[in-house]
Amino acid sequence: MTSNSNHSSQQHPDYKNELDRLIFTRLYIDQALTTSKESAGSAREHLKEAYETLDSLDSSLSYMNLLTGASLLQMSTDQTKRLESVYDKPYFARIDYQKTDETKEELYIGKASLHNPENQSQIIVDWRSPIANVYYDGRLGDVEYEVNGETTRGYLSLKRQYQIEKGELLTISDVDLTTTDELLQQSLSGTADNRLTEIVSTIQKEQNDIIRAPLNRPVIVQGAAGSGKTTIALHRISYFLYVNSETFHPSNLMILAPNQLFIEYISEVLPELGVDKIKQTTLIEYMKGAIGQNLRILDPVKKLVSLIEQDEQSEQVKWLSQFKGSLEFMQIIDSYLIMVENSLAPKEDVMLEKFRIVRGSRLHSLFLNDYDYLPVYKRFDKIKGVIQNHLRTKKKHVIKKIEDVYDEALDKALYGIRNDKKRRKKVTFIMDTKAARVEGIKKEARSTVRKYMKTFDKLTAAELYKELMSSPELLESAAPDMSKKQILMLTEHSAALFSKRCWELEDLAPIYYIHGRLYGLDDEWKVKSVFIDEAQDYSYFQLASLRRILETSLFTIVGDLAQGIHSYRGMREWQVVEKEIFTEAHYYTLQKSYRTTIEIMNAANDILSQMDEPLPLVEPVVRKGDKPAFHQVSKDRLIHQMEKDILSLRKENLKAIAIIGKTPDECKQIFALFRFSSIEVQLISEHEDLKKDHVTILPAHLSKGLEFDAVLLPTLTEHYKENELDRKLLYVAMTRAMHRLFMYSPQPENLLIHHVGKDKVNIKNEDQ
């Protein structure tokens, strides 16, 4: 393949010039790397010298030297890493662009910028730069792009793509309307190994629009399976940091991923995009950390499995999960927090002996009105400061007042009592009483603030939430519209959880919300921009609590309602998110799938059309392949048929292969079937990394967001039934496949094959 590609590139009329340019660029990077490494060595020496000359008598100067050395070393290290990352593939495209009334420029576009400081010429243009937008958006001819709100116009005379591997120029393709699809198909026909890392060269216009959408407003993306949602989110992060590089540190960004397996999956692409210092976590881990308590959360998968199996409590479980994730429940928490806030608001006067220092009504008003911009418990710091200030000034006044009273009594005794003995006794008594009382006031003043503040109880968010959910009376006060039956269901369900000292996932957002409203967040858990993938599995309460507690609108939210296997607790429509949570959001839809072949997507669309919600069908990009194969096979012959298909796939150089079961238990049974097989398989849990040389076995719910060259879907004891949840699980599993899809079961109905057009599946009866 390489030799043919190389031969085709040599046929290009500009091959010699392009080869010279590639050689020049790599030589320049070589020189820049040498300089960068020398700078790093010099910075290390500077840092070492600063440590050795650290002098406590001149600590500020020594400290500045240390800071300078550390900063130089970091800059040099970052520069070296950046240059090394692009050395083998410095750029992927070129545009010839002429601004109006200026000379034409030949601009080479890559993952990182590189310029010659001597003449300020651009050797490589960063794909995130404004002018690179012309490459992604512009057709040949008159084009324009924006820089800092100003439009720049010009003429695009050439768009060219390169395939460069390990410094070798393999292909040169001049892009016009007829070749764009060919280049995209060539990219999509590759294997799953490098798809995420190479996507930057084939970003499509509709994807580019979202990546570069205004960064000061929320973005919501409803994207079909394989439409590039994750890719868009990751590249938008990279673009965000590029645009805000001088004002925004990567630690102020956070990716909320569905699970640890997904975090591991995207970990390779983040450094490629220059995004390797941002928070990557799950919603559970983030909220638990922010709350500051290691709350024991029940495994949500167990609830999902119970709903898949449809036990007798399914309807009640669904209602409880849906209700605790609703904005209606958030309003109940808000009402409860008002009750908590009012109960905490100071009411008593602050007294020093019998003297009023601050009126309780004044503190009450400050607490509820003047300081209402602060978390509830942080207002007490302000109240404490007010009392201290009043005490500081009024204590002197009180002591002066008392001293005046006793001094007046002393004058009366001195000049009004004629008997010497009685006068002396009275004077002594007055002076001793005065001294004791003044000392008593001084002593009382030292503890007045502490004693007053001690009257306010501080409960944790979890304790307050538990108090609400355990009390029918409190719930009725906070939620007068709830029926007694609903209140009883909530309190009884909560009592069962609390007796086991555990919580559900649905309890986490309310506790996080209460914590944020009462205590605020520690700096470690504050972020300014949030990227959420698989957002269809989030509840409205979860999204709204993040928005309100983080006090930012910089959210990028991507998901697909068709894959909402947790819709019992998550959202069912984007409209609520748009109209009630992120009212200023830009909303986008992506219905093109770049992952799967037409044949696989057509079969998956037939399952999609059976969903309860009216979801639009997915439009596959024109890339043909084999029809999905359904093997009607008994359990005894299942392992033999799967082994045969896996070996065949490997001969086709398809390496990333997954066997997707309906549930974790089903996956364990499939794994057991392979115990005597020569094929190495790996049974995946949420916290495991994917092994590249193994066939991956994982449940459907865990496969969301992942993609594989080929997918095998067997059913043993767990069959897909005619309900919303099972259809979504099957749809998710089918759309993980890029090139090939195999399905196995004794009966076609077990995989809902009867809903797929006969012309769309290749059915084989292996037991005949």
Side-chain angles (χ1 to χ4, degrees):
M1 177 182 168
T2 302
S3 58
N4 289 340
S5 300
N6 202 17
H7 177 72
S8 66
S9 69
Q10 289 179 26
Q11 305 303 309
H12 195 281
D14 281 349
Y15 172 74
K16 178 70 170 62
N17 291 336
E18 293 292 5
L19 185 61
D20 288 346
R21 172 68 190 218
L22 178 59
I23 293 168
F24 159 75
T25 304
R26 297 188 83 217
L27 285 172
Y28 193 91
I29 292 173
D30 269 331
Q31 291 177 351
L33 275 169
T34 301
T35 304
S36 184
K37 287 172 182 176
E38 286 174 356
S39 297
S42 175
R44 284 192 189 90
E45 286 301 315
H46 184 89
L47 200 57
K48 182 182 175 185
E49 188 178 320
Y51 272 115
E52 289 172 350
T53 58
L54 189 62
D55 186 348
S56 59
L57 296 176
D58 187 17
S59 58
S60 61
L61 180 60
S62 301
Y63 181 64
M64 288 303 296
N65 284 337
L66 281 172
L67 280 180
T68 303
S71 179
L72 287 170
L73 180 57
Q74 186 62 53
M75 284 171 62
S76 300
T77 304
D78 290 348
Q79 169 83 344
T80 300
K81 281 171 63 179
R82 188 172 60 81
L83 291 170
E84 286 176 341
S85 71
V86 300
Y87 182 67
D88 282 343
K89 187 172 184 176
Y91 45 82
F92 55 81
R94 164 185 159 184
I95 57 172
D96 287 5
Y97 178 72
Q98 185 173 5
K99 291 180 188 175
T100 305
D101 300 327
E102 293 188 22
T103 55
K104 184 174 77 172
E105 294 179 281
E106 294 178 1
L107 301 170
Y108 288 78
I109 301 169
K111 291 181 183 176
S113 64
L114 184 65
H115 75 281
N116 185 339
E118 292 178 10
N119 59 15
Q120 296 302 309
S121 63
Q122 286 276 71
I123 296 170
I124 306 173
V125 174
D126 194 297
W127 71 272
R128 298 165 292 186
S129 65
I131 186 134
N133 204 30
V134 170
Y135 167 72
Y136 292 112
D137 262 6
R139 297 179 177 182
L140 298 184
D142 293 324
V143 292
E144 58 184 45
Y145 64 94
E146 282 194 12
V147 186
N148 298 324
E150 292 187 9
T151 301
T152 300
R153 292 178 174 81
Y155 187 82
L156 182 64
S157 56
L158 177 73
K159 282 176 70 173
R160 182 172 285 173
Q161 275 191 4
Y162 309 96
Q163 186 184 355
I164 300 170
E165 299 294 341
K166 296 181 180 178
E168 185 180 356
L169 181 60
L170 301 181
T171 64
I172 304 171
S173 304
D174 289 338
V175 183
D176 55 30
L177 290 176
T178 57
T179 58
T180 301
D181 282 348
E182 294 169 17
L183 293 167
L184 177 61
Q185 285 188 48
Q186 183 182 337
S187 169
L188 297 178
S189 65
T191 60
D193 298 15
N194 63 350
R195 276 252 300 162
L196 272 179
T197 56
E198 295 304 318
I199 200 73
V200 69
S201 60
T202 55
I203 291 170
Q204 300 300 290
K205 184 183 185 307
E206 69 270 21
Q207 296 172 326
N208 185 53
D209 288 343
I210 300 171
I211 291 168
R212 297 175 191 255
L215 297 171
N216 59 348
R217 289 175 64 177
V219 164
I220 299 171
V221 181
Q222 159 58 39
S227 61
K229 297 183 297 296
T230 300
T231 296
I232 287 167
L234 297 178
H235 285 75
R236 185 165 166 80
I237 292 170
S238 180
Y239 178 66
F240 185 97
L241 289 173
Y242 175 83
V243 172
N244 298 290
S245 59
E246 294 181 6
T247 57
F248 218 91
H249 192 271
S251 62
N252 284 321
L253 278 83
M254 175 171 69
I255 295 176
L256 286 178
N259 48 55
Q260 290 296 332
L261 178 62
F262 186 85
I263 290 172
E264 174 61 29
Y265 179 67
I266 64 172
S267 63
E268 288 183 24
V269 73
L270 290 173
E272 287 268 342
L273 295 170
V275 185
D276 54 353
K277 294 175 184 174
I278 67 176
K279 287 182 172 68
Q280 301 168 57
T281 186
T282 63
L283 183 74
I284 290 178
E285 292 309 311
Y286 167 70
M287 285 191 167
K288 281 170 65 175
I291 292 163
Q293 288 183 264
N294 189 21
L295 301 173
R296 183 172 159 239
I297 307 295
L298 293 177
D299 184 0
V301 174
K302 290 183 179 177
K303 181 182 284 191
L304 177 66
V305 171
S306 75
L307 291 173
I308 292 171
E309 293 171 350
Q310 292 186 306
D311 60 31
E312 64 227 19
Q313 292 185 311
S314 288
E315 289 309 310
Q316 183 175 326
V317 169
K318 282 182 187 176
W319 181 84
L320 286 163
S321 298
Q322 193 90 49
F323 184 75
K324 287 201 280 188
S326 68
L327 294 182
E328 181 187 351
F329 188 53
M330 190 177 211
Q331 289 172 352
I332 292 169
I333 298 294
D334 279 331
S335 297
Y336 174 56
L337 283 171
I338 290 171
M339 293 159 56
V340 171
E341 185 182 17
N342 286 327
S343 71
L344 288 170
K347 298 173 186 67
E348 302 297 324
D349 294 344
V350 181
M351 303 296 291
L352 181 58
E353 204 197 47
K354 63 180 181 181
F355 297 93
R356 184 192 292 118
I357 299 301
V358 193
R359 287 184 182 275
S361 58
R362 172 64 181 145
L363 295 177
H364 189 83
S365 177
L366 285 171
F367 187 87
L368 293 179
N369 302 317
D370 297 54
Y371 302 144
D372 65 348
Y373 64 93
L374 287 169
V376 173
Y377 283 133
K378 289 198 173 178
R379 298 178 206 176
F380 285 118
D381 293 335
K382 290 279 192 181
I383 294 295
K384 184 178 179 180
V386 168
I387 297 172
Q388 285 171 334
N389 288 335
H390 278 264
L391 188 63
R392 198 175 296 117
T393 56
K394 290 188 178 180
K395 182 179 76 171
K396 295 174 186 176
H397 178 70
V398 167
I399 290 172
K400 177 73 168 58
K401 206 169 186 179
I402 289 170
E403 286 176 339
D404 287 347
V405 170
Y406 282 99
D407 287 346
E408 188 179 337
L410 195 59
D411 285 344
K412 285 180 182 178
L414 285 170
Y415 300 108
I417 302 175
R418 295 183 181 278
N419 186 298
D420 288 347
K421 188 176 179 182
K422 284 185 178 180
R423 186 172 61 243
R424 280 197 300 272
K425 187 177 179 182
K426 185 69 173 176
V427 167
T428 302
F429 173 77
I430 290 170
M431 291 183 70
D432 288 347
T433 305
K434 173 188 172 183
R437 196 166 172 200
V438 168
E439 184 54 40
I441 285 172
K442 288 180 178 177
K443 185 178 179 182
E444 186 181 332
R446 287 195 288 271
S447 61
T448 296
V449 178
R450 180 174 53 80
K451 284 182 178 177
Y452 189 83
M453 300 308 297
K454 200 175 179 181
T455 61
F456 304 105
D457 291 331
K458 272 195 176 183
L459 296 176
T460 66
E463 288 169 335
L464 282 165
Y465 180 71
K466 187 175 180 180
E467 183 181 87
L468 172 68
M469 300 301 282
S470 303
S471 169
E473 295 76 24
L474 269 179
L475 267 172
E476 193 172 349
S477 298
D481 295 335
M482 278 187 74
S483 69
K484 291 194 183 306
K485 182 183 177 183
Q486 290 172 330
I487 288 174
L488 191 63
M489 281 171 62
L490 273 174
T491 51
E492 286 183 349
H493 179 70
S494 299
L497 285 172
F498 299 152
S499 67
K500 299 173 188 173
R501 296 184 179 180
C502 59
W503 312 83
E504 290 185 305
L505 170 61
E506 291 85 352
D507 296 314
L508 205 50
I511 296 171
Y512 167 80
Y513 182 63
I514 292 170
H515 179 84
R517 291 281 303 275
L518 294 182
Y519 289 94
L521 297 182
D522 292 341
D523 288 344
E524 180 186 355
W525 305 102
K526 288 178 185 172
V527 289
K528 295 177 182 175
S529 186
V530 183
F531 293 77
I532 299 177
D533 205 343
E534 302 295 341
Q536 74 277 353
D537 293 334
Y538 281 59
S539 71
Y540 300 121
F541 197 147
Q542 287 169 344
L543 290 174
S545 66
L546 288 167
R547 168 72 190 268
R548 287 180 64 174
I549 299 306
L550 288 171
E551 297 179 317
T552 180
S553 61
L554 304 182
F555 278 75
T556 297
I557 298 168
V558 301
D560 179 17
L561 295 179
Q563 299 180 62
I565 60 175
H566 296 285
S567 60
Y568 61 90
R569 70 158 190 257
M571 69 179 74
R572 300 184 72 85
E573 56 178 341
W574 290 108
Q575 198 172 14
V576 177
V577 182
E578 255 192 295
K579 293 194 172 179
E580 299 188 45
I581 304 174
F582 296 98
T583 53
E584 70 276 57
H586 285 294
Y587 178 76
Y588 298 86
T589 58
L590 296 171
Q591 283 308 115
K592 279 186 181 178
S593 174
Y594 297 95
R595 178 186 298 141
T596 58
T597 61
I598 292 174
E599 290 75 14
I600 295 172
M601 200 66 247
N602 284 343
N605 268 336
D606 283 356
I607 300 299
L608 184 62
S609 66
Q610 298 296 312
M611 301 283 187
D612 295 344
E613 305 118 285
L615 297 164
L617 299 183
V618 181
E619 178 190 341
V621 169
V622 182
R623 181 166 64 85
K624 290 189 171 292
D626 291 348
K627 287 182 190 176
F630 172 74
H631 294 282
Q632 189 164 353
V633 59
S634 64
K635 182 178 176 180
D636 296 339
R637 290 184 53 79
L638 177 65
I639 183 67
H640 170 74
Q641 186 59 50
M642 285 201 292
E643 282 181 324
K644 183 178 172 184
D645 290 334
I646 290 167
L647 292 172
S648 173
L649 289 167
R650 284 186 166 166
K651 284 180 182 176
E652 296 175 37
N653 205 31
L654 299 177
K655 298 174 184 175
I657 301 169
I659 299 172
I660 301 179
K662 184 180 174 184
T663 65
D665 283 346
E666 178 97 319
C667 289
K668 288 175 186 174
Q669 293 179 52
I670 295 166
F671 181 69
L673 292 177
F674 278 87
R675 63 186 179 278
F676 300 119
S677 173
S678 60
I679 293 172
E680 289 187 298
V681 294
Q682 179 191 14
L683 181 62
I684 287 290
S685 69
E686 180 179 335
H687 300 284
E688 281 188 85
D689 298 342
L690 295 172
K691 294 179 182 176
K692 286 191 176 180
D693 297 329
H694 288 57
V695 172
T696 302
I697 301 175
L698 75 169
H701 77 272
L702 206 53
S703 71
K704 277 195 296 90
L706 308 181
E707 60 182 28
F708 302 92
D709 293 329
V711 167
L712 285 64
L713 295 183
T715 68
L716 297 173
T717 56
E718 301 279 0
H719 306 151
Y720 291 90
K721 304 182 186 73
E722 297 278 4
N723 61 59
E724 179 191 19
L725 180 53
D726 279 25
R727 290 188 195 104
K728 285 183 176 178
L729 283 167
L730 180 58
Y731 176 76
V732 166
M734 291 173 74
T735 54
R736 300 309 95 199
M738 288 173 56
H739 304 293
R740 303 292 295 279
L741 175 63
F742 296 88
M743 307 166 87
Y744 312 83
S745 186
Q747 299 299 326
E749 293 79 12
N750 295 347
L751 279 157
L752 307 184
I753 294 296
H754 55 294
H755 287 309
V756 179
K758 291 182 180 179
D759 59 325
K760 296 174 185 172
V761 182
N762 188 3
I763 298 178
K764 303 175 182 179
N765 193 331
E766 305 297 341
D767 289 338
Q768 289 181 352

